[in-house]
Amino acid sequence: ERKMYNRNKQNIYLQNQVMTATPKKLIILLYDGCIKFMNLAERAILDKKMEDAHINLIKAQNIVMELKGTLNFEDGAVIAEELDTIYGHLNTALIKANIDKDAEQVKKCCSVMQDLRASWVEV
């Protein structure tokens, strides 16, 4: 019961973080989630837990597609086009990594996402 209470406290904290976040902070939270799911997927592949790997890679793909869907081509044309291309490549690479259960490919995708996150933090 104590574990559920702590989980509920965490969920309330996360909900408050999201509800009060600036658009920039929301993007960073999406990057954080994507990186977390890729790390979990990589670990699951190495541990031969293919179902867990699949679930976490799908979660990472969903976040990449959410990021892709939020791009503003009117205000940030060049950057938005570059990010659109990067997110497209990442999504394709994650699909392939999921099919092949390729931990190294997941690690490469995670590295790209970490670099993108670092760039957002600097903005």
Side-chain angles (χ1 to χ4, degrees):
E1 191 175 314
R2 178 128 178 91
K3 192 174 185 180
M4 280 304 292
Y5 174 74
N6 285 336
R7 182 171 291 148
N8 286 338
K9 273 178 43 177
Q10 284 178 320
N11 287 342
I12 291 167
Y13 172 75
L14 284 172
Q15 283 177 335
N16 287 337
Q17 249 194 325
V18 169
M19 296 303 286
T20 60
T22 62
K24 176 185 168 184
K25 178 67 175 163
L26 285 173
I27 298 291
I28 292 169
L29 288 171
L30 285 171
Y31 281 130
D32 288 345
C34 194
I35 290 164
K36 177 184 104 174
F37 293 130
M38 285 191 233
N39 283 327
L40 289 170
E42 181 187 356
R43 178 84 258 146
I45 292 168
L46 295 174
D47 291 344
K48 305 280 189 251
K49 296 180 179 174
M50 299 312 167
E51 181 69 18
D52 290 347
H54 173 74
I55 290 167
N56 284 298
L57 286 169
I58 293 295
K59 289 178 181 179
Q61 284 172 242
N62 288 340
I63 293 174
V64 169
M65 294 313 292
E66 179 66 25
L67 287 163
K68 192 171 171 28
T70 62
L71 292 173
N72 183 336
F73 290 94
E74 288 178 30
D75 293 340
V78 175
I79 293 171
E81 287 176 23
E82 287 178 16
L83 286 172
D84 187 57
T85 301
I86 292 168
Y87 293 149
H89 288 304
L90 269 173
N91 191 53
T92 301
L94 287 170
I95 291 168
K96 186 164 176 18
N98 198 357
I99 292 167
D100 299 340
K101 297 299 184 265
D102 183 345
E104 193 57 40
Q105 183 68 33
V106 176
K107 191 175 195 168
K108 288 178 188 173
C109 291
C110 192
S111 178
V112 170
M113 195 56 81
Q114 288 167 332
D115 290 346
L116 289 171
R117 184 197 183 280
S119 298
W120 268 99
V121 170
E122 289 174 16
V123 171

